[in-house]
Amino acid sequence: MNKENIMATNSEQPNVRITRARAKSLGTSGGLPPLKPPMIKDLKKVSQPDSKRAVTDGNNASVGDTDTACLQHKKRAVLQDVTNVCRKKSNTKGDGFQSSNQAGNGVEGRGTKPVPTVVMNSQIQQDKKATVTKESAQEVQKIDSLAVQGHGSAHLMAAKQASTMQAQSGRPAGKSEVGQHGQKVELSDGLHVADIDSNHKDPQMCGIYAPSIYEYQRVRELQQRPSSNYMEMLQRDISHVMRGILMDWLVEVADEYTLVPDTLYLTVNLIDRFLSKHYIEKQRLQLLGITCMLISSKYEEICAPSLEEFCFITDNTYKRDEVLRMESQVLNFLDFQLSTPTTKKFLRRFLQAAQTCYKAPSIELEFLANYLAELTLPEYGFLKFLPSLIAASAVFLARWMLDQSNQPWNPTLEHYTNYKVSDLKPVVFGLQVLHLNTIDSPLKAVREKYKQPKFKGVASLSLPAPLDSAFQF
C-alpha cells in the first residue's frame, strides 16, 4: 500500500482528531494536505441558513479555516445531530418522514440547506396562529358591519361566529345570559340581572371562575360551620358575655396593628370552631384568642406581627412556650384547614352586585355594610346564621339606610346571593337592634372604629325610616 492510500485510510477513521499540531506537522513534512473528515461535510449540510460566515470551497480551504469550521460545528446543539440520526433511521423505515421533509425546505439533493425539523414545526404553528387570528379579526369586522346595517340575521351569525372562535381559541362558550359589565340581561325566568363577571380585564377578579368559586364556598360554609350552642352544651367555665369581651378586644388589637379584615374574621371563626369541640378554662380564653389571631395573621397578612408582640399585648401574661403549645393544639385540631368562607368573603361579592345599581361606586355603602357585618362578631346569638346570610342582610340594611326611595333588594342581588327578601328578614331586624343599641352595649370597639373619618363616620348614621316599610315594596 502506497503512502497516499495510508494517509487516506487514517483520515477516514472516525476516532482521529485533526488538531492544530497534527495539521502543521502534516503540512511541513511535505505530505498531501489533510483531507476533511466526512463529519464536516454532513454537519455543513445542517448549518443555519442565517449564518453570517461565508461558506468556502473544500479545495481552497486552508488548514486554519478547516480548524475554525470544526470548532464552530462542535458548538452546535446536540439536538441537531440527534435529529439527523433520526432522519436517517426514519428514511430506512418508510416514506413517513419524507412528507414532513417535503413540507420543510425540500430534499437535500437540491443543494439547499435544510432547517432542523423542530424549527420548522414551530414556524408552521406560528403561521397557523397568525392565519387564525387574521381570519378571526376579519369575521368580527363582518359581524360588526352587519349589525350596523341592521340586518336581521346579524345576531344569529354573531352567535355562530363567536362559538366558532371560542372553539378555535380553546375558551369555553359563555351562557346566554352573560352580557357586558353593567348591562342588564334577561334570564330564562324573565328577570333582568346585571352581569358582574363579564369584565375579564382584571385577572384578580377571576370573572371566569367566580361563580364556581362562590358555589364551592356556599358548600364549605356548611361543612366548616361552628356549633351555635357550644356554650350550653360544652363550655361550663366561660359564658357568651366573656366571649363577647374577648372578640371586642380582638377588634381593638386588629385595628392597632392595622390588620386586614380577613384576619379578624378568620380569628373569630377559628375560636368558635375550637370552642365547639374543646373545653377550655376562663384563664386560657385570652391565650386562645391571641393564638388564633397569630395563626390568622400568618395566613392572611403579608407582614404578620411577631409572636413576641402578641405576648406583649397581653402584658406578658402568657409566655412564648405557652402560645406555641396552644398554636400546635389548635392547628392539629383543625387539621390545618384554615381556608374557610367568612362573612367578609361573601360581602365582597354581594357588594359588587349592589354597586351595579349606582352610576358611580358608593364608598358609603361599602363602609356601612362592613360596619353592620362586624357588629355581629362579638354577638354569640348570630352563630346560628350562615356567613353568607349575614353578608346579604348587611347589604340590604345598608342600602335601605342610605336610600329609602328605591327597593333595597332587586333581581341582581337575589341572583348572586341566592336569598329572597323573606330569608333576610330575621337577620336584618337583628342587625337593626345591634345598630340602635349604642348606649346599653358595653362592646364599643366596632362602633368607635367606624366613627373615624377614614370610614366616613358610618357608625353615627341613623335609621331615617321604619324598617318594616323596606319589606313592603
Side-chain angles (χ1 to χ4, degrees), residues 130-231:
T131 305
V132 172
T133 306
K134 186 176 181 180
E135 293 177 355
S136 301
Q138 293 176 355
E139 291 175 355
V140 172
Q141 293 177 357
K142 292 179 181 179
I143 294 171
D144 294 338
S145 62
L146 289 175
V148 172
Q149 294 175 3
H151 289 278
S153 60
H155 297 287
L156 180 60
M157 183 181 294
K160 292 182 179 180
Q161 297 290 349
S163 61
T164 305
M165 292 168 59
Q166 289 173 352
Q168 291 177 355
S169 61
R171 296 180 181 178
K175 296 182 180 180
S176 59
E177 67 266 13
V178 176
Q180 297 296 327
H181 182 66
Q183 294 183 354
K184 292 184 178 181
V185 291
E186 186 173 355
L187 298 178
S188 58
D189 53 359
L191 298 177
H192 294 279
V193 175
D195 180 31
I196 64 175
D197 295 323
S198 60
N199 188 9
H200 304 316
K201 295 181 180 180
D202 187 2
Q204 294 183 352
M205 298 305 296
C206 300
I208 301 176
Y209 312 104
S212 301
I213 291 174
Y214 280 94
E215 287 178 4
Y216 173 74
Q217 294 207 10
R218 294 295 293 267
V219 177
R220 293 289 290 175
E221 72 173 344
L222 294 173
Q223 298 175 350
Q224 297 183 342
R225 185 180 183 181
S227 176
S228 60
N229 58 350
Y230 64 82
M231 286 293 180

Side-chain angles (χ1 to χ4, degrees), residues 349-373:
R349 175 73 166 176
F350 300 162
L351 281 173
Q352 186 181 2
Q355 295 286 8
T356 59
C357 304
Y358 303 92
K359 295 181 180 180
S362 175
I363 193 66
E364 288 82 4
L365 175 64
E366 182 177 351
F367 288 152
L368 184 56
N370 279 281
Y371 162 68
L372 295 173

Side-chain angles (χ1 to χ4, degrees), residues 66-285:
T66 304
D67 297 336
T68 307
C70 292
L71 292 175
Q72 287 185 357
H73 288 302
K74 288 180 181 178
K75 292 181 181 179
R76 291 184 183 274
V78 183
L79 179 61
Q80 295 182 359
D81 298 336
V82 175
T83 307
N84 293 334
V85 174
C86 295
R87 288 176 64 182
K88 292 178 182 179
K89 292 182 179 180
S90 61
N91 287 333
T92 58
K93 292 181 181 180
D95 56 352
F97 187 82
Q98 294 178 359
S99 59
S100 61
N101 191 14
Q102 293 173 0
N105 287 350
V107 187
E108 295 180 3
R110 297 181 181 178
T112 57
K113 297 178 181 180
V115 182
T117 309
V118 178
V119 179
M120 287 304 304
N121 290 337
S122 61
Q123 291 178 355
I124 293 172
Q125 291 178 0
Q126 291 178 0
D127 294 339
K128 289 183 178 179
K129 290 181 180 179
T131 305
V132 172
T133 306
K134 186 176 181 180
E135 293 177 355
S136 301
Q138 293 176 355
E139 291 175 355
V140 172
Q141 293 177 357
K142 292 179 181 179
I143 294 171
D144 294 338
S145 62
L146 289 175
V148 172
Q149 294 175 3
H151 289 278
S153 60
H155 297 287
L156 180 60
M157 183 181 294
K160 292 182 179 180
Q161 297 290 349
S163 61
T164 305
M165 292 168 59
Q166 289 173 352
Q168 291 177 355
S169 61
R171 296 180 181 178
K175 296 182 180 180
S176 59
E177 67 266 13
V178 176
Q180 297 296 327
H181 182 66
Q183 294 183 354
K184 292 184 178 181
V185 291
E186 186 173 355
L187 298 178
S188 58
D189 53 359
L191 298 177
H192 294 279
V193 175
D195 180 31
I196 64 175
D197 295 323
S198 60
N199 188 9
H200 304 316
K201 295 181 180 180
D202 187 2
Q204 294 183 352
M205 298 305 296
C206 300
I208 301 176
Y209 312 104
S212 301
I213 291 174
Y214 280 94
E215 287 178 4
Y216 173 74
Q217 294 207 10
R218 294 295 293 267
V219 177
R220 293 289 290 175
E221 72 173 344
L222 294 173
Q223 298 175 350
Q224 297 183 342
R225 185 180 183 181
S227 176
S228 60
N229 58 350
Y230 64 82
M231 286 293 180
E232 297 80 10
M233 301 299 296
L234 181 61
Q235 304 298 331
R236 300 181 300 274
D237 202 23
I238 61 175
S239 62
H240 63 90
V241 177
M242 298 175 63
R243 175 193 175 275
I245 296 175
L246 173 65
M247 302 304 179
D248 191 71
W249 177 73
L250 290 175
V251 172
E252 295 180 354
V253 173
D255 190 35
E256 178 70 22
Y257 286 100
T258 62
L259 303 180
V260 296
D262 299 84
T263 302
L264 178 62
Y265 279 94
L266 182 58
T267 300
V268 176
N269 180 268
L270 297 182
I271 293 173
D272 288 328
R273 287 165 61 188
F274 186 84
L275 293 178
S276 298
K277 300 294 182 181
H278 284 269
Y279 169 78
I280 194 171
E281 299 84 5
K282 60 183 179 180
Q283 294 83 6
R284 302 177 71 243
L285 182 61

Side-chain angles (χ1 to χ4, degrees), residues 13 19 53 135 165 234 239 324 337 446 449-450:
Q13 293 179 359
T19 61
R53 181 183 181 275
E135 293 177 355
M165 292 168 59
L234 181 61
S239 62
L324 291 177
Q337 298 294 325
V446 178
K449 173 183 175 181
Y450 281 91

